[in-house]
Structures are given as C-alpha cells and as structure tokens.
Amino acid sequence: MSDWGSILTQIETEIRQAMTDLPAGELGFERGLRIGQDLTTEELPHVFAHDPEERVTELDYGQRRVEFSVQLDVWVRGETQEQLASRLDAIRNEIDGNRTLGGTVDKAFISSRGIREFPGRLERAGVLIVQTEKDL
Amino acid sequence: MATTSDLIADLKAAIEALSAAPTRMSSDFRFDLDTVAAGAAKYALRVSAQSRLYDDSNATKTVAQANFIVAHRLATPSNERAYTEGAMQTDLTAISAPSWFRNLNSVAEVVAGPDFEIDRVGHVIAYEVTASVALVP
C-alpha cells in the first residue's frame, strides 16, 4: 500500500469510530470526489477523502519532514448544523486521541474545519483538512 | 610545541572513542549533506586558534577553541530518552570531566568550558561541545 493509502486507511478507521452510522465500505467512506447532492440515501452519511497532497522539507543530517494533507467532506442530509458540527467534533476528538494514527505518522491533527450549506437543499457538508507530519 | 593539527588529531581520536563511536561527517560546516543510520552517530569538528600572552611573562601561548558536534540518530525515534538518558549521558559525563581535554597530548590546560548545547532535529539528537584549551608550549 502507498504511504498515502496507509494514512487514509487509518483516517477511515478513526472516522468510523467517530461516526458509527457511516455505511460500510465505499458506501460510507470514499477516496475521491463526486457531487454530494447525488448521494443516495443508503450512502449517507458519507465521507469523501480527496485531494491528497504532500510537501517535503529537508532537515539536517540527510533527513526530511513529510507533511501530508487530505480534505474530508462529510455529507449529511436532513441534519441540522448543530448535528453536523457534533459529528465534526467527534472526528476531531478521535484524531486528537490517536495523534500518531496508530504509529503511521509522527503526528496528525485537523488544521481546518467548516460547514458548507446550500440554500434550498437538505444536504450539508462538513469540510475538514487533516494534516500529518512524519520525519524520515 | 603542540599545534592545532595535533589538537585536531587528538580530538578525533578522543571523539571516536566515545561510546557513540561516531564517524566524521563529510563536512564540518554543512550538516545537510550526510545521512546518519539509525542507532549510529557522526561528528563534526572545528578548531581555531590564537596566540595570547601569559599573564606573568612576555611568552605567548596558543589558545585553541575546539568545537564539535556529535549527532546520533535514534534507533527508536519514539523513545528518545533511551539515548538521552543513557549512552548520551555516559559520553557527556566523560567529556565534562576536565581530564577529558587535559589528557589530550597536545593540551596544557583547559582555559574555558566545556559548554554544552543539545538539540533534536527530526530523528537526530545532536550535542555541541565548545571548550578553549591552551596547547602545550
């Protein structure tokens, strides 16, 4: 598995612990991006993990610091802003409780959170940026 | 009369005899060039010198400033204290004893130091030692 794939697998594990009603497999957690309003009822709530990105900084003694980030879109339908915010809190708390993502990275944290709302629609999307660091 | 070259040779032997058993880096000034294997150590050594008058005569002595950095890459990065509270303390205790410098053949006396600075970069713990020593006249 790729370095990014290993991190995303751990992130999915944390999210499933925070959102126990997430549908199994790719019905609930999907690497990639589709139009959220097109999600079927059986796919909700739904998380898209997309736009992974890596930055590398050179350190002394031939080392490098690898920073990885990925955006998570948490889609719900018919939930209030408060309900969705509580889901985002739960995800943050899970990652705060396992900052090494099971030893996959040196540290992981959520660097940005927000909620996107769409007038006239029942869907809301929570947007999180998960950032990790690992020295190699 | 000892020279700074003698001091460099003496310090190389003394540093390489530390428990970390460091090997010399390819550069003493650029630390981005070398890699250090997990559990291993490398060092950089810099020496400069100047002449000074003895306090009680017109004779001069050569006082050299010795500066070296020992960089150890942690075998287990998540457990840095296995090194910083273990082998590193063994070496720092040895170096901090006045006899460590004074026993070098080229050294007459320790004028100042040694002073220590310790830092971590990535998985590497590096300690820097600076001392001024008078060379054997």
Side-chain angles (χ1 to χ4, degrees), chain A residues 19 74 76-93 113-117 122-126:
Chain A
M19 293 174 60
V74 182
V76 294
R77 183 175 292 145
E79 293 190 11
T80 65
Q81 189 184 80
E82 173 61 20
Q83 285 172 314
L84 179 54
S86 295
R87 289 184 184 274
L88 302 188
D89 285 353
I91 293 170
R92 179 202 57 202
N93 294 344
R113 299 196 304 160
I115 290 178
R116 305 285 179 265
E117 294 170 314
L122 291 174
E123 293 87 4
R124 284 188 166 88

Side-chain angles (χ1 to χ4, degrees), chain A residues 58-65 106 134-136, chain B residues 25 31 34-35 69 71 73 121-124 126:
Chain A
E58 187 185 30
L59 302 178
D60 279 347
Y61 311 111
Q63 304 175 95
R64 61 189 192 275
R65 175 162 296 159
D106 292 340
K134 186 176 178 67
D135 291 343
L136 298 172
Chain B
M25 289 188 207
F31 303 139
D34 286 40
T35 58
I69 295 169
R73 182 163 182 151
V121 179
H123 295 166
V124 172

Side-chain angles (χ1 to χ4, degrees), chain A residues 61-132:
Chain A
Y61 311 111
Q63 304 175 95
R64 61 189 192 275
R65 175 162 296 159
V66 179
E67 296 176 335
F68 170 81
S69 64
V70 64
Q71 180 168 328
L72 304 177
D73 296 348
V74 182
W75 282 84
V76 294
R77 183 175 292 145
E79 293 190 11
T80 65
Q81 189 184 80
E82 173 61 20
Q83 285 172 314
L84 179 54
S86 295
R87 289 184 184 274
L88 302 188
D89 285 353
I91 293 170
R92 179 202 57 202
N93 294 344
E94 276 294 328
I95 290 178
D96 281 353
N98 184 10
R99 283 170 57 85
T100 67
L101 297 179
T104 307
V105 295
D106 292 340
K107 68 174 180 182
F109 58 98
I110 291 175
S111 61
S112 172
R113 299 196 304 160
I115 290 178
R116 305 285 179 265
E117 294 170 314
F118 311 96
R121 303 287 308 199
L122 291 174
E123 293 87 4
R124 284 188 166 88
V127 178
L128 305 103
I129 304 291
V130 180
Q131 198 162 326
T132 70

Side-chain angles (χ1 to χ4, degrees), chain B residues 11 31 48 51 55-56 62 64 67-68 70 79 89-90 92 102-103 106 115 117 124 127-128 130 132-133 135-136:
Chain B
L11 279 169
F31 303 139
S48 60
S51 292
D55 292 338
D56 56 354
T62 300
N67 171 272
F68 62 90
V70 177
N79 185 12
Q89 292 305 321
T90 302
L92 292 182
R102 216 162 45 207
N103 287 350
S106 54
D115 298 318
E117 282 187 35
V124 172
Y127 64 80
E128 182 172 4
T130 304
S132 292
V133 295
L135 301 186
V136 171

